[in-house]
Structures are given as C-alpha cells and as structure tokens.
Amino acid sequence: MILGIGNDLIDIRRVERTLERFGNRFTQRVFTEVERNKSDRRQARAASYAKRFAAKEACAKALGTGVPRRGVHWQHMGVVNLPSGKPTVALTGGALTRLQEITPAGMVAQIDITITDDYPLAQAFVIISALPEALEQDSSLDAGIVGR
C-alpha cells in the first residue's frame, strides 16, 4: 500500500550559489553529519548536496508535510545508503513521528528513493509504502524498511 509519493527537481547552480554565500551555515542547518561527510568528499560537491536536498523535499512531500511543518525539519531526514548501496532516507524526530502516524497498525513502512543529477539539474523521487509486518524479514534493513 502506497502511503505517499514525492518528487523534487532543483537547479544545482542554486545550491552552488547557496554554498558560496552561506557555506557551513547552510550545510549544518540542512544536512546530517553523514550527508555532509559524503558530499564534502565529492568532486561534484554542489551536485551531491543538491541531490540530497531534493530527496529531503521529496520525502517531506511523501510524508504530506513539507518543511518545516508539523515538526518535520531538514535534519530529521537523512539520505543514507543501505549495505547493498541502495539509497534510502533515515528518519528521526518529527519526520519519524509523522511516518508512524501515517503507517497503519500491523504494517511496516518502507521508503524507496531514487536520486540523480545531470548538470544543471538534480532530481529525487520518494515512495513511502506500508507492508504487512508478517512480510518483514531479517534483511529488512537492506530492503529499506523503517519505523514501527
């Protein structure tokens, strides 16, 4: 069962200008430590940040909230890679609370995400779905299953 779908498209040049103007003030406010560490190591630093920003926007749309609304803030959503390399979004704080609110009883939420960039654009799609708890397997972390 699909609980929410979100997408976002961002101009990487906008992120480049924001990084030049605000630097660490922007990255510290919006991105998790894991995201900052990963993006700061990239040659295409602005593109990496832009993909993650688009993913956060898409995730907030899938949650039905936007940012910052209903207790959902930028750092409550972090793009992480599962052991397989597959990207997903780890939720904390208000974003996790919202996910729990929209997940029906007896179900487990799964967040599927795709992110891409082709200068000057970065794009992300997020689908949040609910699966019966009985289908959850020991490899649930690698499947992108989160929250209870």
Side-chain angles (χ1 to χ4, degrees):
M1 158 191 329
I2 293 177
L3 301 177
I5 299 174
N7 73 324
D8 194 62
L9 180 68
I10 187 169
D11 191 322
I12 296 169
R13 296 169 295 193
R14 180 177 158 214
V15 174
E16 287 172 332
R17 289 189 301 271
T18 302
L19 288 169
E20 288 171 11
R21 184 170 178 196
F22 298 105
N24 286 342
R25 199 167 84 188
F26 168 64
T27 60
Q28 294 281 334
R29 179 177 177 221
V30 174
F31 300 96
T32 66
E33 184 177 353
V34 169
E35 291 174 310
R36 290 190 308 269
N37 289 339
K38 188 161 199 143
S39 294
D40 287 341
R41 289 192 314 259
R42 302 278 189 219
Q43 184 175 358
R45 181 174 179 249
S48 181
Y49 275 118
K51 286 188 287 191
R52 283 155 180 75
F53 189 88
K56 290 169 184 281
E57 286 277 6
C59 186
K61 291 172 184 176
L63 288 169
T65 62
V67 179
R69 291 216 170 98
R70 298 188 64 175
V72 176
H73 298 283
W74 295 112
Q75 288 205 14
H76 294 168
M77 300 169 285
V79 177
V80 297
N81 293 89
L82 301 172
S84 66
K86 176 184 173 182
T88 190
V89 181
L91 303 181
T92 61
L96 181 57
T97 299
R98 176 63 181 155
L99 179 68
Q100 292 166 340
E101 289 172 0
I102 66 172
T103 304
M107 305 288 265
V108 176
Q110 175 175 303
I111 300 176
D112 290 296
I113 175 175
T114 182
I115 54 177
T116 190
D117 68 283
D118 187 8
Y119 195 85
L121 300 174
Q123 184 175 35
F125 288 93
V126 172
I127 299 173
I128 301 174
S129 52
L131 304 172
E133 282 183 356
L135 293 180
E136 183 178 9
Q137 300 172 356
D138 290 341
S139 62
S140 63
L141 280 179
D142 205 43
I145 296 172
V146 298
R148 279 199 181 229

